[in-house]
C-alpha cells in the first residue's frame, strides 16, 4: 500500500506538473498525438473501407489486414522506423507507427459493417431508384454506423496504448513518465505514470461508451 | 596495423548473415525466453479462464461483472500494466507473465463464454434426456462444443502475447524485445530487424500450430463440411 501512497504523493506534488517533463505537458502531448493520429487514420481508412464495402470488393484484404496487424509487435515497428531516415523527423516514427496500427481495425470494422447491411434493404433502395452514391450515403452508411464507430473506438484505445509504447523509443506522451521512472529506479513515479496512462485509456473508452448510449436508437449497435 | 573489418556488421546493414552466425547463441536464448514467457502466460490464462467462463455461464448475474472487469483490464496499455504490477513483482519475469496472463484472460473468458452460450438448447436438453448430470453435461457436451470458439480466442491471445512480450524489455525480460531495445540504443540495424522478423515468425508459427490442434480436437466440424 505504501507504493500507492507514494505514487499518489508523486502525482499530487505540484513540482511534477509544470515544465517540459511535467505531467501537464505529457498529458497534452498524449492527447494531441491520439487525436491527430485518429483523425489521420480515419481519413485514410474510412473512405477506402466505405468504397470497398459498397462495391463488395477486397473483402479478404480488409478482414485479414487486422489479424496480421496483431502479429506485428508495435514496439518492433517503432524501433525499425526510428532507425530508418524517418527517425530524423522528430515525432515522425511515432505518428507513422500510430497510424499504421490504427488503420487495420478501422478498415476491418467499417468494411464488415458495410457488408452486414441487410441486402434486402439495399435492394429495396435500388428498387426505389436510388443511385449508387445515394445508396452509400443514405442507406448503407447510416446502417453501418454502429460497426464503424466500434472500429473508431478500438482504434482510439489502441492509439492511446501505442502512444505509451512510443516512449520506449524516445517519443513523447505519458509513457515518458513511466520510462523516466524506470531510469531513475523510482517505483512511485513508474506507478504514478501507469495510473495516468490507465486512467487516460479508460476515459477514452468511457467517452465512446457514453457517446453510444446517448446516440439515437438506430445508431446503436444491436446488443 | 589492420583496418576495421569490412563486413556487413561494420557497415551496419539491415540484413546481415554475419550477425546470424556470430550471435546465434544470443538469438537462440532470446527466442527461448520469448517462447517461455508466451507459453507460460497463455497456459496460466487458459487454466484461469475456463472456470471463470463456466461460472459466468452457470450464474448469469456474474457474467456482466466478469466481462466488465476483463474489458477494463484489456483497455490498460501494456506498458502501464507492467508498471502497475512493478510494486508486486519487482523487476522479474513473473511481472511480464502476470501482465500477459491478465491480457490472455480477457480474450479467453470472452471467447469461451461465447462458445458455451452458443451451445444449442436442444443439444443440452437431449443430453439431459439421456440422463446426463450437470458435470457430465459440461465436460462431455458443452465444453467440446465450445472448443472452436475457445480456440479462436486462444489463437488471438497467443499471437497478441507474442507481440506484447517485446514490451517486457522495459524490465529486462522481453525475449526478442530485449534485443530490439538494446539494438535501438546502439543503432544496431541487423539486430533490430532480425529480432523483429523472428517475432513475427513465432507469432505466425504459433497461430498455424494452434489451428492444426483445433482441427485435431474437433473432427466433427470437418465431417460436417464435406
Amino acid at each position: 500500500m505504501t507504493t500507492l501512497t507514494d505514487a499518489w504523493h508523486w502525482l499530487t506534488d505540484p513540482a511534477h506538473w509544470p515544465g517540459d517533463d511535467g505531467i501537464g505537458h505529457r498529458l497534452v502531448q498524449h492527447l494531441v498525438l491520439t487525436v491527430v493520429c485518429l483523425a489521420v487514420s480515419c481519413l485514410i481508412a474510412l473512405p477506402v473501407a466505405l468504397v470497398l464495402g459498397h462495391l463488395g470488393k477486397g473483402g479478404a484484404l480488409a478482414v485479414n489486414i487486422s489479424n496480421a496487424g496483431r502479429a506485428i509487435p508495435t514496439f518492433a515497428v517503432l524501433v525499425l522506423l526510428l532507425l530508418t531516415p524517418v527517425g530524423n523527423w522528430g515525432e515522425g516514427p511515432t505518428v507513422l507507427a500510430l497510424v499504421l496500427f490504427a488503420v487495420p481495425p478501422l478498415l476491418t470494422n467499417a468494411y464488415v459493417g458495410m457488408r452486414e447491411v441487410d441486402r434486402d434493404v439495399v435492394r429495396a433502395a435500388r428498387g426505389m431508384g436510388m443511385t449508387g452514391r445515394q445508396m452509400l450515403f443514405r442507406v448503407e452508411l447510416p446502417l453501418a454506423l454502429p460497426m464503424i464507430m466500434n472500429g473508431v473506438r478500438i482504434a482510439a484505445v489502441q492509439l492511446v496504448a501505442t502512444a505509451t509504447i512510443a516512449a520506449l523509443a524516445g517519443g513523447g506522451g505519458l509513457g515518458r513518465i513511466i520510462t523516466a521512472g524506470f531510469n531513475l529506479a523510482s517505483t512511485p513515479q513508474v506507478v504514478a505514470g501507469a495510473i495516468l496512462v490507465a486512467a487516460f485509456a479508460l476515459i477514452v473508452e468511457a467517452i465512446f461508451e457514453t457517446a453510444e448510449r446517448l446516440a439515437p436508437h438506430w445508431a446503436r449497435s444491436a446488443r | 596495423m589492420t583496418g576495421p573489418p569490412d563486413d556487413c556488421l561494420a557497415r551496419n546493414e539491415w540484413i546481415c548473415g554475419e550477425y546470424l552466425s556470430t550471435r546465434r547463441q544470443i538469438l537462440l536464448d532470446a527466442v527461448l525466453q520469448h517462447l517461455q514467457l508466451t507459453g507460460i502466460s497463455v497456459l496460466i490464462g487458459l487454466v484461469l479462464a475456463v472456470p471463470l467462463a463456466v461460472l459466468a455461464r452457470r450464474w448469469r448475474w456474474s457474467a456482466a461483472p466478469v466481462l466488465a472487469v476483463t474489458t477494463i483490464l484489456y483497455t490498460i496499455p501494456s506498458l502501464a500494466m507492467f508498471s502497475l504490477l512493478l510494486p508486486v513483482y519487482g523487476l522479474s519475469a513473473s511481472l511480464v507473465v502476470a501482465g500477459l496472463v491478465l491480457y490472455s484472460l480477457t480474450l479467453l473468458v470472452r471467447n469461451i463464454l461465447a462458445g458455451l452460450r452458443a451451445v444449442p438448447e436442444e443439444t443440452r436438453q437431449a443430453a439431459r434426456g439421456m440422463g446426463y448430470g450437470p458435470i457430465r453435461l459440461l465436460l462431455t457436451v458443452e465444453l467440446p462444443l465450445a472448443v472452436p470458439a475457445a480456440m479462436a480466442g486462444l489463437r488471438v491471445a497467443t499471437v497478441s502475447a507474442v507481440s506484447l512480450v517485446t514490451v517486457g524489455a522495459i524490465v529486462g525480460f522481453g525475449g526478442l524485445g530485449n534485443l530490439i531495445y538494446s539494438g535501438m540504443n546502439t543503432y544496431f540495424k541487423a539486430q533490430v530487424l532480425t529480432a523483429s522478423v523472428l517475432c513475427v515468425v513465432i507469432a505466425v508459427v504459433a497461430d498455424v500450430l494452434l489451428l492444426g490442434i483445433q482441427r485435431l480436437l474437433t473432427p466433427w466440424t470437418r465431417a460436417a463440411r464435406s
Side-chain angles (χ1 to χ4, degrees), chain A residues 6-77:
Chain A
D6 288 347
W8 180 250
H9 286 312
W10 195 93
L11 268 180
T12 45
D13 185 346
H16 293 136
W17 283 80
D20 271 359
D21 289 331
I23 300 171
H25 184 234
R26 294 299 180 206
L27 264 174
V28 172
Q29 267 184 332
H30 211 96
L31 186 67
V32 170
L33 261 179
T34 311
V35 170
V36 168
C37 292
L38 187 62
V40 172
S41 322
C42 283
L43 281 178
I44 296 173
L46 293 186
V48 174
L50 292 185
V51 170
L52 286 180
H54 176 65
L55 300 173
K57 283 180 184 145
L61 177 81
V63 173
N64 285 324
I65 197 169
S66 137
N67 290 334
R70 210 176 282 122
I72 300 170
T74 321
F75 178 47
V77 171

Side-chain angles (χ1 to χ4, degrees), chain B:
Chain B
M1 168 115 180
T2 54
D6 184 41
D7 57 12
C8 55
L9 278 176
R11 287 195 301 272
N12 196 14
E13 283 172 7
W14 284 106
I15 299 166
C16 183
E18 194 77 4
Y19 173 74
L20 285 179
S21 52
T22 53
R23 306 294 202 306
R24 182 177 299 151
Q25 199 52 46
I26 297 176
L27 279 170
L28 217 62
D29 289 345
V31 168
L32 214 63
Q33 191 185 48
H34 210 105
L35 291 177
Q36 278 172 349
L37 289 170
T38 314
I40 293 173
S41 342
V42 174
L43 274 181
I44 297 178
L46 190 63
V47 168
L48 293 176
V50 172
L52 270 178
V54 169
L55 286 181
R57 167 83 197 144
R58 190 102 319 168
W59 292 297
R60 276 160 202 281
W61 54 266
S62 66
V66 165
L67 285 180
V69 169
T70 50
T71 306
I72 288 175
L73 286 177
Y74 200 65
T75 310
I76 298 173
S78 49
L79 189 61
M81 183 75 96
F82 291 148
S83 311
L84 280 174
L85 295 169
L86 181 68
V88 187
Y89 294 97
L91 292 171
S92 65
S94 341
L95 169 71
V96 179
V97 170
L100 293 174
V101 165
L102 290 177
Y103 283 121
S104 343
L105 204 58
T106 305
L107 291 164
L108 290 169
V109 168
R110 226 183 268 172
N111 274 273
I112 298 173
L113 190 58
L116 287 174
R117 280 180 174 166
V119 175
E121 190 52 41
E122 298 89 60
T123 313
R124 222 171 284 141
Q125 279 170 1
R128 249 180 246 129
M130 286 170 71
Y132 278 47
I135 306 267
R136 199 151 148 241
L137 174 71
L138 177 71
L139 292 179
T140 58
V141 177
E142 289 182 306
L143 280 178
L145 284 177
V147 163
M151 285 302 283
L154 191 62
R155 283 170 63 197
V156 174
T158 310
V159 171
S160 311
V162 169
S163 113
L164 281 176
V165 167
T166 53
V167 180
I170 185 83
V171 291
F173 292 91
L176 290 160
N178 290 342
L179 297 183
I180 298 176
Y181 199 46
S182 63
M184 174 184 78
N185 291 330
T186 51
Y187 279 82
F188 195 166
K189 290 179 178 171
Q191 177 159 314
V192 172
L193 186 66
T194 314
S196 308
V197 169
L198 280 174
C199 247
V200 177
V201 170
I202 291 177
V204 172
V205 170
D207 195 41
V208 171
L209 272 179
L210 286 173
L211 185 65
I213 293 176
Q214 183 187 343
R215 290 261 164 89
L216 287 176
L217 282 178
T218 56
W220 62 87
T221 52
R222 251 175 308 158
R225 222 176 291 145
S226 57

